[in-house]
Amino acid sequence: EQEEQEEQEEEKKKKIEQRRKEKEKREGIIELETIIKDKFPKLEADERKQTAVRNAFLHAWKGYKENAWGHDDLKPIGRNQHHDWVPGGIGMTIIDALDTAHIMGLKKQVDEGVQWIKTRLNFNRNAMISTFETTIRVLGGLVSAYDLIGDDILKQKALDIGNRLYKAFKPKTGIPHGQVDLASGRSHNVGWARGGVVNSEYGTLQIEFRRLAAITGEKKFEEAAERINKNLERNQPADGLFPTMYDNNNDRWINDHISFGAWGDSTYEYLIKQYVMTKQKETYLLNMYKKTTAGLFNHLIARSTPNNLMYVKERRSPTNDHKMDHLVCFVGGMLALGAEHAGNPKRDMEAAEAITETCYETYKRQASGLGPETVTFGGANDFSPGVRSYLLRPETVESIFYMYRYTGNEKYREWGWNIFQAIEQHTKTDIGYASLRDVTQANPPKANEMHSFFLAETLKYLYLLFSDSNTIRLDEYVFNTEAHPVKIYAIES
């Protein structure tokens, strides 16, 4: 009888615990241990908000098609204006936005894009173009679209641009030049980089080249990516933090500037993303990431006053710069992705949450509801706007997406929706969406530019934020730094 009573008590405790967990889930509260154990909570789609984001994409696509089709970027104020990376353009917005259209279920737009790629896309252009930007947007866009859509023309075009970009890998260090001529194969570094290359530009090519190697069987692309990784491993400083400029002819760092913003950012995320992408087989990449995150927490993480907001400063030895770029806001998502692998999940998830909150605060506190390009921490109110423009950037909504996928906390959907509504209110034009000149104004003036990453990244992450948890699962895909999802795959041992 006593045993039966004890069993009943135990059963009662289990039911109470189950009700507590259900309540916490309803309220968006999920314990850290549960996040790490179960990895991803089951999430339902918010179809009304998905539709709103899809309609924004359709508005931008329509304006681009009618006014700049085949060119690289639409200028969204006025009519028939565009910006091109090379004369005549290479359809960068089409290629960059194609996987977003597919994810959104927009078959007509996907078919339009694939048809243009099949019949009109020509990479044989005598003009210098950024090795980095072309890799993440064009090569990344094509290999991702091939993974999702499967049309062989996408693989053929990916191989074409891959071969052209490969010609930038001339220096004996294995680190490519910053610019390459797509027709002749001539390449050189940009003059403003002090004769070298920007760290984030050469440290952010590996996912695209490795996926190209995997789908084509061309091993030279895998070998090129490995040379970059091994160079980074050999030259990683003791504190784990890479300077932002590197002399790729003489194998040395040029400066002592450390940044998780411009010139440094995506090198760090590609360490953990490659480890995840190749089914966690390459432990040297994980070890480099661990060393990097140790450096981040030891040297760059700081707190503001009076509200104790966590932020990431820059270092220009021996002093610190308390400026934080909008670009830094990817860090929340990076830490969430790496939390289960890097050996300190509680620290990393708490920091991911805190940095994402800080980034949202940089939006929330502006009269427009949109975040500035930079903020400077200090003074009586945590931070103040620095460069006040808003370029339709994705990094804050990127981390909001990751945090929602890992935690299920509904506040992240609320934050994302608030940002989307501000985008609709302040940046929408008759034919697209425009950057803003000053987010501190209630009616900010517009700038005549709509970068392709608005469709490739910002709208994609917002759409996925309101999607169910099975849409582009994070245990099946890894996003490149342009938000192009590529399949996780097993590498040859």
Side-chain angles (χ1 to χ4, degrees):
E1 187 176 334
Q2 185 177 353
E3 287 181 4
E4 185 177 345
Q5 190 174 359
E6 288 175 355
E7 286 177 4
Q8 288 174 350
E9 284 295 321
E10 187 64 29
E11 188 63 30
K12 186 177 178 181
K13 286 179 183 178
K14 287 180 180 178
K15 287 180 179 179
I16 291 171
E17 178 66 12
Q18 181 63 30
R19 284 197 295 270
R20 182 186 68 81
K21 288 182 177 179
E22 288 173 358
K23 179 176 183 293
E24 288 181 344
K25 188 172 182 180
R26 284 196 305 273
E27 295 175 355
I29 304 165
I30 298 180
E31 294 177 357
L32 181 65
E33 291 78 7
T34 305
I35 296 168
I36 295 162
K37 180 182 176 183
D38 297 341
K39 203 168 185 181
F40 306 112
K42 182 174 171 54
L43 306 170
E44 302 297 330
D46 186 327
E47 294 181 2
R48 179 179 70 85
K49 291 173 182 175
Q50 276 187 306
T51 299
V53 178
R54 186 189 296 114
N55 287 340
F57 179 92
L58 286 169
H59 176 70
W61 181 275
K62 181 175 184 287
Y64 168 76
K65 186 181 179 189
E66 292 178 354
N67 295 276
W69 191 242
H71 292 283
D72 290 332
D73 296 313
L74 169 70
K75 290 188 173 183
I77 300 172
R79 299 278 173 175
N80 301 311
Q81 298 180 56
H82 58 265
H83 163 265
D84 287 326
W85 288 75
V86 295
I90 51 175
M92 196 170 285
T93 291
I94 297 172
I95 298 168
D96 222 3
L98 193 61
D99 57 0
T100 307
H102 175 80
I103 290 166
M104 291 181 173
L106 300 173
K107 186 177 186 305
K108 178 176 178 289
Q109 287 68 30
V110 170
D111 290 346
E112 290 170 349
V114 171
Q115 182 63 19
W116 186 88
I117 289 168
K118 189 175 293 186
T119 60
R120 301 291 301 277
L121 179 57
N122 175 20
F123 289 129
N124 195 39
R125 303 298 183 90
N126 279 111
M128 285 289 178
I129 195 168
S130 166
T131 306
F132 163 71
E133 295 288 359
T134 310
T135 298
I136 66 170
R137 299 187 193 209
V138 179
L139 178 55
L142 287 167
V143 295
S144 174
Y146 176 73
D147 272 349
L148 295 170
I149 300 166
D151 193 310
D152 199 57
I153 191 64
L154 301 170
K155 180 168 69 172
Q156 293 173 30
K157 292 295 186 180
L159 182 59
D160 183 4
I161 192 64
N163 278 323
R164 295 172 190 274
L165 292 167
Y166 184 78
K167 293 176 182 177
F169 286 78
K170 291 185 178 72
K172 61 184 179 181
T173 56
I175 302 304
H177 287 133
Q179 298 266 309
V180 63
D181 186 301
L182 295 180
S184 70
R186 290 183 301 110
S187 63
H188 59 69
N189 294 331
V190 292
W192 56 261
R194 297 169 59 180
V197 286
V198 172
N199 175 257
S200 62
E201 295 199 354
Y202 79 80
T204 314
L205 309 173
Q206 306 95 307
I207 286 175
E208 298 81 2
F209 277 96
R210 298 187 75 174
R211 190 62 192 143
L212 179 61
I215 65 175
T216 64
E218 293 280 350
K219 291 186 177 180
K220 69 179 183 181
F221 301 120
E222 175 72 26
E223 292 164 355
E226 185 177 11
R227 287 196 294 273
I228 294 173
N229 287 333
K230 292 299 183 181
N231 180 286
L232 288 168
E233 182 185 33
R234 185 178 71 251
N235 289 310
Q236 187 172 24
D239 64 5
L241 302 173
F242 299 103
T244 56
M245 287 190 182
Y246 169 76
D247 182 344
N248 55 343
N249 293 308
N250 297 298
D251 192 29
R252 63 184 181 90
W253 298 113
I254 296 175
N255 66 5
D256 55 12
H257 175 214
I258 305 297
S259 172
F260 272 73
W263 302 357
D265 49 2
S266 41
T267 292
Y268 299 108
E269 71 176 284
Y270 269 36
L271 298 176
I272 189 62
K273 284 184 173 180
Q274 286 183 86
Y275 175 71
V276 173
M277 181 179 77
T278 55
K279 294 194 173 181
Q280 305 166 38
K281 298 297 184 185
E282 296 173 309
T283 54
Y284 81 98
L285 291 171
L286 177 62
N287 290 335
M288 291 168 70
Y289 175 74
K290 288 179 177 179
K291 195 173 178 181
T292 282
T293 53
L296 172 67
F297 282 97
N298 289 337
H299 301 291
L300 302 182
I301 293 287
R303 291 278 190 175
S304 71
T305 55
N307 292 301
N308 205 36
L309 298 177
M310 182 180 286
Y311 66 96
V312 182
K313 59 192 176 185
E314 296 185 9
R315 187 175 74 201
R316 287 178 169 85
S317 189
T319 62
N320 291 315
D321 185 348
H322 294 267
K323 171 183 75 75
M324 189 167 101
D325 298 346
H326 190 292
L327 291 166
V328 175
C329 288
F330 84 94
V331 169
M334 178 190 75
L335 290 173
L337 179 66
E340 67 173 307
H341 306 293
N344 203 333
K346 188 173 188 297
R347 177 201 68 180
D348 291 355
M349 283 302 294
E350 287 176 350
E353 181 177 11
I355 291 169
T356 303
E357 181 176 10
T358 299
C359 291
Y360 178 64
E361 284 292 320
T362 68
Y363 278 64
K364 182 182 175 182
R365 296 190 190 186
Q366 310 311 317
S368 65
L370 294 167
E373 184 71 357
T374 69
V375 294
T376 299
F377 284 85
N381 296 307
D382 299 303
F383 61 82
S384 58
V387 178
R388 299 184 174 196
S389 56
Y390 171 67
L391 305 183
L392 303 168
R393 285 201 188 276
E395 290 79 19
T396 296
V397 294
E398 174 184 355
S399 284
I400 288 172
F401 157 73
Y402 274 101
M403 292 307 298
Y404 185 65
R405 278 290 177 95
Y406 278 101
T407 71
N409 192 325
E410 288 299 323
K411 74 179 180 183
Y412 295 114
R413 278 187 168 177
E414 292 172 12
W415 293 358
W417 184 243
N418 290 341
I419 291 171
F420 176 71
Q421 288 181 303
I423 289 171
E424 283 287 292
Q425 180 181 351
H426 295 298
T427 75
K428 194 171 186 177
T429 73
D430 290 342
I431 60 171
Y433 293 82
S435 299
L436 302 177
R437 298 187 186 279
D438 185 354
V439 296
T440 68
Q441 297 185 29
N443 294 298
K446 295 180 175 68
N448 197 14
E449 58 185 14
M450 184 181 80
H451 297 283
S452 65
F453 59 66
F454 176 64
L455 287 84
E457 300 186 73
T458 308
L459 291 180
K460 181 185 286 127
Y461 282 127
L462 283 166
Y463 182 82
L464 289 172
L465 175 63
F466 300 116
S467 299
D468 63 48
S469 46
N470 288 319
T471 303
I472 310 295
R473 291 180 57 90
L474 295 180
D475 53 3
E476 294 178 0
Y477 292 90
V478 164
F479 290 93
N480 86 332
T481 199
E482 191 78 2
H484 294 305
V486 299
K487 287 183 178 177
I488 291 172
Y489 65 98
I491 58 171
E492 294 180 10
S493 56

